[in-house]
Amino acid sequence: MTQVPAERVAGPLRSATRSPILRILGRSFLVAVAVMLVAFSLMRLSPGDPVVVLLGDQATEENIAHMREQLGLNGSYPEQLITYVSGLVKGDMGESVVFGVPVTTLIAQAMPVTLQLMLVSILLTVFAAVPIAVYVALHPHGRIASLFLIGSSFSVSMPNFFVGLLALLVAAVWLKIAPVAGIVGNLPEAIQYLWLPSLVICLALVPILARVLAASITNTLREEFVEVAIVRGVRGRTFAWRYLIRPSIAPTLSLLSYIIGSLFASAVVIELVFNLPGTGTLLVGAVAGRDYPLVQGIVLFSGVFVVLVGTIADIVTVRIDPRVGR
């Protein structure tokens, strides 16, 4: 029998692994460009003249011309786009009209709060959803599984702002086990300010993640290698991780990247309810103050961050299960 050289087998396998990753990177680059174009077009496509909206009808021609130059609205659309992209390459997102400081400075000040809130929320979600999903998948007709399905439908349907206000009333006002508002310091000392808003976010995220992971584990249980492991007597954590969770995690990673993106939307509401000085609160203030450069910068940064997280999740998913990239 002729033996095939290892190099001839490894070469196609490596190229088959790289090609999905290249497709993911190419797709993510196109999405990032689209996000940049949307952020760039915010002021250009808004109804009316943004300069007149900012300065009012009584503004002089000199003030209008100065504001147009400050906002980068001089010249044709392609010229403005080139100027905008060249500024982004240098790390320049413009200057806030309200605060008079660079947009990047304001985002850098607010983003740590949002990232810490997202980190604590994701950790709580994962640590709660994984054991629930495993139990529901192994006991699909049990009483706990039925209660979980009923409770998850209820928690997903509840709006975040209502749950947040109710949590503040119970935990901060009645029980006095959490601060009413604000945040001091960074993790881990800031956990006392972040656990309650993160818990509110988790009430909507845990049911979604647990359901998807439970469905994936249910499909994995039908695989032949799981039956072999049961016959061999594999039990406990080894069986749960190696034969249930790890083979089922690919679709969950994709969902987790979407959840991280949706956290930016949740942050707008939760940060307002709990008075956290993050990007959500900054965005609402920028919209209220008609600070177009700041709104534009937050939209661009948030969009690119979500694309980056999705790209990493897709690459990890392909590495875990190469069948996904085919």
Side-chain angles (χ1 to χ4, degrees):
M1 183 176 179
T2 304
Q3 184 175 4
V4 180
E7 293 78 5
R8 295 179 59 184
V9 178
L13 288 177
R14 283 196 297 266
S15 61
T17 304
R18 283 197 299 263
S19 57
I21 294 178
L22 292 177
R23 288 199 299 268
I24 292 171
L25 293 176
R27 182 174 64 245
S28 300
F29 175 76
L30 294 177
V31 174
V33 171
V35 171
M36 184 268 294
L37 291 176
V38 170
F40 170 75
S41 302
L42 281 177
M43 286 189 294
R44 283 81 183 172
L45 299 180
S46 59
D49 190 338
V51 176
V52 176
V53 172
L54 282 171
L55 298 179
D57 297 332
Q58 305 300 322
T60 63
E61 292 294 333
E62 182 180 354
N63 291 336
I64 292 177
H66 176 72
M67 181 60 69
R68 283 188 179 280
E69 183 178 357
Q70 181 181 352
L71 296 178
L73 296 177
N74 292 329
S76 62
Y77 189 91
E79 292 174 347
Q80 295 179 34
L81 180 59
I82 293 174
T83 303
Y84 179 69
V85 173
S86 62
L88 290 179
V89 172
K90 301 174 184 177
D92 182 14
M93 292 185 178
E95 187 175 288
S96 169
V97 176
V98 174
F99 298 97
V101 297
V103 171
T104 52
T105 301
L106 295 173
I107 295 178
Q109 293 173 352
M111 185 55 66
V113 176
T114 300
L115 292 180
Q116 290 178 88
L117 176 63
M118 293 173 60
L119 177 61
V120 176
S121 301
I122 288 296
L123 291 177
L124 289 178
T125 300
V126 171
F127 283 123
V130 171
I132 291 175
V134 173
Y135 186 89
V136 170
L138 295 178
H139 308 85
H141 305 296
R143 182 176 299 178
I144 295 180
S146 301
L147 291 176
F148 167 71
L149 293 177
I150 296 174
S152 62
S153 300
F154 179 76
S155 64
V156 170
S157 63
M158 297 292 288
N160 274 347
F161 74 90
F162 175 76
V163 178
L165 291 175
L166 187 62
L168 274 177
L169 178 63
V170 175
V173 178
W174 291 352
L175 301 179
K176 300 185 185 303
I177 58 176
V180 176
I183 184 174
V184 176
N186 298 313
L187 290 174
E189 58 267 22
I191 192 67
Q192 60 178 320
Y193 300 93
L194 295 175
W195 72 267
L196 187 59
S198 299
L199 185 62
V200 173
I201 295 176
C202 287
L203 289 177
L205 299 184
V206 169
I208 300 173
L209 192 64
R211 282 189 174 190
V212 172
L213 183 57
S216 183
I217 292 176
T218 301
N219 294 331
T220 303
L221 285 171
R222 303 189 183 101
E223 298 289 341
E224 184 177 349
F225 69 88
V226 176
E227 298 178 0
V228 173
I230 295 175
V231 172
R232 290 173 54 191
V234 181
R235 295 290 185 273
R237 296 179 181 178
T238 302
F239 177 76
W241 167 249
R242 183 176 298 178
Y243 294 94
L244 291 184
I245 299 176
R246 186 175 178 181
S248 308
I249 206 170
T252 309
L253 279 177
S254 300
L255 176 63
L256 193 60
S257 66
Y258 168 77
I259 287 176
I260 292 176
S262 67
L263 280 178
F264 273 105
S266 301
V268 175
V269 177
I270 296 301
E271 288 178 3
L272 285 175
V273 171
F274 289 89
N275 194 24
L276 299 174
T279 53
T281 304
L282 185 65
L283 177 61
V284 172
V287 172
R290 297 172 180 174
D291 195 340
Y292 292 102
L294 185 54
V295 174
Q296 182 175 266
I298 295 175
V299 170
L300 175 62
F301 186 89
S302 303
V304 172
F305 179 82
V306 171
V307 172
L308 178 62
V309 171
T311 302
I312 295 174
D314 289 342
I315 293 176
V316 173
T317 301
V318 170
R319 286 293 186 181
I320 293 176
D321 189 358
R323 296 172 299 176
V324 177
R326 292 178 182 176

